[in-house]
Amino acid sequence: MKEIPTVLRSDEILDKVLKRASAVSVKYAGSKLLTEKNKTMAKIDCVASNINQIFLKYEKHFPTIEKLNEFQKELLDILVGCQQLHHALGAIKWCNQTVKKISASMHLRVKKAGNIEDLEKIRKEYYGRVASLIKQIAPELEFLNHARDVILKIPSIDMNLPTIVISGFPNVGKSTLVKRISSAEPDIAPYPFTTKGLIIGHAKFNMVEYQFIDTPGLLDRPVEQRNAIEKQAIVALKHLADVIVFLIDPTGYSGTVEEQEKLLASLRREFGNTVFIVVETKADILRRKNSRLKISAETGEGIEKLIERIREKFKETKKYAQIIEPQNA
Ligand SMILES: Nc1nc2c(ncn2[C@@H]2O[C@H](COP(=O)(O)OP(=O)(O)OP(=O)(O)O)[C@@H](O)[C@H]2O)c(=O)[nH]1
Ligand SMILES: [Mg+2]
């Protein structure tokens, strides 16, 4: 998603616009009263136009929810909440319009003012009303700044590339595999739930670029019990995966094989139309006797075969037909 400017706090906005307004000066207009009237109006305009500028920038740079694809929408909803985002953007729009209306009505009062004291009163009243409006949306501004930080961390995903999503229980070695196979640089650690978001890497095999997605580990539990971290993995499986590589760690370091098999079965039910490759990992520690592909992401054993399998299996996907595989692939 695109660049978003830092969202200022309400006190920062007030500071900024009032400082600018205090620096406003006008030419002598023939009388002191007229000059002061022009100055007051210029200050009001300065505050209103600076607020407008700041808020329009936010409105423009935050993603428009309706324009996002299903993956982005669902991910944004998990990470920040689409409704809250919509509400916060609505609040700044409302604030901006209200400032404009107040400014226009103050203009009329300035025109009618009969002396300099009245002008001073009008200016103070205007600043007070603007300040209370901006303070009123302080929670929304804070929320937007938090949303900005989250949105900027969302990796950019090319929906047209062949996409392989790596899934499995926590700690089975998903990140180690994605790091070995692609350009991604995920954190790897000997404990579960190290990966907390989606991490993208790329790799080219036979001139075709593939996109690999490292996901947070999943436990075998119903959707309603899944936390926001796990839900991101589900969104990737649902919207991005052409091929799902499901890792099973047979060593017992990542939960029992039975639990992992149950998760696999439930994902197969949920994503029945997606091609699965089931791989047993950590083969350098334990190699069971079965027909599944065995790899060690640690030593590199079996990785070439896995790449072969991914390329083969990708040919079974809908996206394959849309992508021109070189004749010699
Ligand atoms: N011996 C051995 N250790 C491995 C292998 N793959 C990963 N590990 C180790 O297993 C631990 C977990 O690896 P990660 O790649 O972080 O596992 P993950 O599945 O991404 O874990 P989460 O992000 O927490 O879900 C680390 O200590 C890795 O070094 C492997 O093939 N062999
Ligand atoms: Mg990981």
Side-chain angles (χ1 to χ4, degrees), residues 168-177 187-196 214-218 247 249 251 253-254 281-285 295-300:
F169 247 55
N171 208 45
V172 295
K174 300 177 295 298
S175 300
T176 311
L177 173 64
D187 286 340
I188 292 164
Y191 47 78
F193 304 110
T194 304
T195 305
K196 295 191 170 54
D214 183 16
T215 61
L218 284 172
L247 298 188
D249 173 359
T251 64
Y253 288 130
S254 317
T281 187
K282 305 193 183 174
D284 52 308
I285 303 177
I295 63 158
S296 165
E298 197 88 355
T299 66

Side-chain angles (χ1 to χ4, degrees), residues 24-83:
V24 163
S25 63
V26 292
K27 278 189 200 148
Y28 186 68
S31 78
K32 194 147 190 244
L33 182 62
L34 198 54
T35 310
E36 281 306 309
K37 278 190 181 192
N38 286 350
K39 197 169 172 182
T40 309
M41 285 208 219
K43 281 178 189 282
I44 291 172
D45 288 347
C46 177
V47 169
S49 76
N50 273 290
I51 287 176
N52 186 46
Q53 215 177 3
I54 293 169
F55 286 171
L56 279 188
K57 195 166 67 181
Y58 299 160
E59 279 180 47
K60 189 175 139 210
H61 284 90
F62 269 92
T64 313
I65 294 155
E66 299 76 44
K67 284 189 192 156
L68 300 177
N69 63 36
E70 286 309 306
F71 162 70
Q72 292 171 320
K73 240 185 253 176
E74 236 178 279
L75 193 63
L76 197 64
D77 203 29
I78 292 167
L79 296 175
V80 295
C82 285
Q83 245 190 325

Side-chain angles (χ1 to χ4, degrees), residues 27-301:
K27 278 189 200 148
Y28 186 68
S31 78
K32 194 147 190 244
L33 182 62
L34 198 54
T35 310
E36 281 306 309
K37 278 190 181 192
N38 286 350
K39 197 169 172 182
T40 309
M41 285 208 219
K43 281 178 189 282
I44 291 172
D45 288 347
C46 177
V47 169
S49 76
N50 273 290
I51 287 176
N52 186 46
Q53 215 177 3
I54 293 169
F55 286 171
L56 279 188
K57 195 166 67 181
Y58 299 160
E59 279 180 47
K60 189 175 139 210
H61 284 90
F62 269 92
T64 313
I65 294 155
E66 299 76 44
K67 284 189 192 156
L68 300 177
N69 63 36
E70 286 309 306
F71 162 70
Q72 292 171 320
K73 240 185 253 176
E74 236 178 279
L75 193 63
L76 197 64
D77 203 29
I78 292 167
L79 296 175
V80 295
C82 285
Q83 245 190 325
Q84 288 93 319
L85 184 59
H86 187 76
H87 163 83
L89 290 171
I92 60 165
K93 204 172 194 166
W94 164 82
C95 183
N96 195 13
Q97 280 163 356
T98 313
V99 168
K100 275 185 199 165
K101 270 188 212 152
I102 294 176
S103 310
S105 76
M106 289 295 176
H107 255 250
L108 291 178
R109 282 177 56 189
V110 169
K111 264 187 200 160
K112 287 184 194 154
N115 57 56
I116 291 176
E117 289 71 41
D118 282 353
L119 288 173
E120 182 66 6
K121 260 190 225 155
I122 293 168
R123 189 184 56 77
K124 278 197 179 145
E125 186 188 327
Y126 175 70
Y127 282 5
R129 286 175 74 180
V130 168
S132 88
L133 274 173
I134 304 278
K135 278 182 197 147
Q136 211 175 314
I137 61 159
E140 283 82 2
L141 289 166
E142 242 171 75
F143 169 82
L144 284 176
N145 202 38
H146 152 76
R148 168 198 185 258
D149 291 346
V150 175
I151 291 169
L152 290 184
K153 281 194 203 119
I154 296 178
S156 72
I157 287 168
D158 186 341
M159 302 300 278
N160 298 315
L161 283 181
T163 303
I164 320 300
V165 175
I166 315 296
S167 180
F169 247 55
N171 208 45
V172 295
K174 300 177 295 298
S175 300
T176 311
L177 173 64
V178 172
K179 186 170 178 171
R180 180 168 277 280
I181 223 169
S182 78
S183 59
E185 289 285 345
D187 286 340
I188 292 164
Y191 47 78
F193 304 110
T194 304
T195 305
K196 295 191 170 54
L198 304 179
I199 297 165
I200 315 301
H202 296 90
K204 253 187 188 173
F205 308 127
N206 249 36
M207 317 275 285
V208 179
E209 189 173 0
Y210 292 78
Q211 183 170 240
F212 285 86
I213 304 193
D214 183 16
T215 61
L218 284 172
L219 293 173
D220 179 39
R221 53 181 174 186
V223 183
E224 37 321 331
Q225 285 173 22
R226 285 196 171 131
N227 59 32
I229 295 175
E230 286 178 278
K231 280 181 186 160
Q232 294 177 69
I234 298 293
V235 170
L237 291 168
K238 182 173 164 191
H239 293 291
L240 305 178
D242 297 309
V243 174
I244 296 170
V245 172
F246 187 87
L247 298 188
I248 289 185
D249 173 359
T251 64
Y253 288 130
S254 317
T256 66
V257 171
E258 287 68 34
E259 285 173 308
Q260 297 179 64
E261 294 283 2
K262 266 170 116 184
L263 172 67
L264 172 61
S266 80
L267 294 182
R268 280 197 195 272
R269 278 194 299 275
E270 205 170 341
F271 307 110
N273 294 329
T274 312
V275 175
F276 275 74
I277 300 175
V278 181
V279 178
E280 292 209 356
T281 187
K282 305 193 183 174
D284 52 308
I285 303 177
L286 179 67
R287 177 180 279 273
R288 298 197 305 165
K289 280 205 175 78
N290 61 34
S291 60
R292 280 177 181 158
L293 195 59
K294 313 278 183 306
I295 63 158
S296 165
E298 197 88 355
T299 66
E301 178 195 341

